[in-house]
Amino acid sequence: MIRVGVIGTGAMGQNHVRIYSEMEDVELAGISDVDKNRVEAMAAQFKTKAFTDYKEMFAEELDAVSVVVPTKLHKQVVLDALEAGLHVLVEKPIADTVENADMMIEAAKEAGKVLMVGHIERFNPAVIRLKEIIDSGILGKIVSISTRRVGPYNPRIRDVGVILDIGVHDIDVISYLYDKKIKGVYAIAGADIHSFEDHASIILRMDKNFAGVVETNWLTPHKVRQLTAIGIKGVAYLDYIDQTVELHDNGWIRKAKVEPSEPLKNELTYFIDCIKTGKEPKPCGEDGKHALEVAMAAIRSYEEERLIELGK
């Protein structure tokens, strides 16, 4: 049995708690949150122990924790968990600054512990299937991947703008599907209703002939989560929500076979497997850092109104 704890029991943290409590090879040994009433109510519901100080929870002989707290708190909580000898899954984005991400990555290496970043869309069955399709060559060389991740504002998000909150999902997915690092970013964005940017159009450049486009906002009254991958032999249309992939070429329109499942459950199952086997997780800390670097570059790009080159 792997003994796990969850730090942060807000909307996303509650899902971590629920899924860990259902896993056969995992014991949910404790949950922590600064909201005493909430964490105690959840602990009673899921038959585990409640803590308002996550460091006290570390005494429960844990093997691992999920860190599901506001982004600005990621660094300190993750460093404390690694120092306590725990494996860590931290929600995306990995940190609030690239420097803090570097500290977390280095600490995990020194501790010899798993540091996995919760880029949940990599565990969406539709994304997994599309990656297999792209790698098989059915679509030919992929030249452009574009995404739309739009919908109404979530009032619980107060510490970051739309790029770091939801745009970072597609930044990571585009890099993952291409299996390439992003080298250049140009973004147009603005904060018209909220204190941080609430809409953004981001152009990504991998190598010279490979492009990515991310459209994201908190202004659209209905939620859309879609991706289009254009290859020289065909086009794939993916819906993250419906978990579907449709292929179009000169002769056929085909639907790929996708077995629906809960991405977070897939992610946490994979995290536990990495702990058991000792294999390096994907997405690892470096993957999370790259997505953060690109997202931060997009913010700089729209603020400075220029192309931002990475890796120079």
Side-chain angles (χ1 to χ4, degrees), residues 290-310:
H290 181 64
L292 175 63
E293 283 179 315
V294 176
M296 298 295 280
I299 294 170
R300 275 186 60 204
S301 176
Y302 88 77
E303 289 177 341
E304 300 176 12
E305 299 183 2
R306 66 183 182 92
L307 171 70
I308 303 296
E309 299 279 358
L310 283 84

Side-chain angles (χ1 to χ4, degrees), residues 221-253:
H222 60 282
K223 185 184 287 188
V224 177
R225 303 284 189 266
Q226 296 174 340
L227 179 149
T228 301
I230 300 173
I232 61 175
K233 294 181 181 179
V235 181
Y237 298 98
L238 177 149
D239 191 299
Y240 289 103
I241 298 173
D242 294 343
Q243 298 186 2
T244 58
V245 179
E246 191 171 88
L247 308 179
H248 293 224
D249 59 27
N250 289 331
W252 299 91
I253 297 176

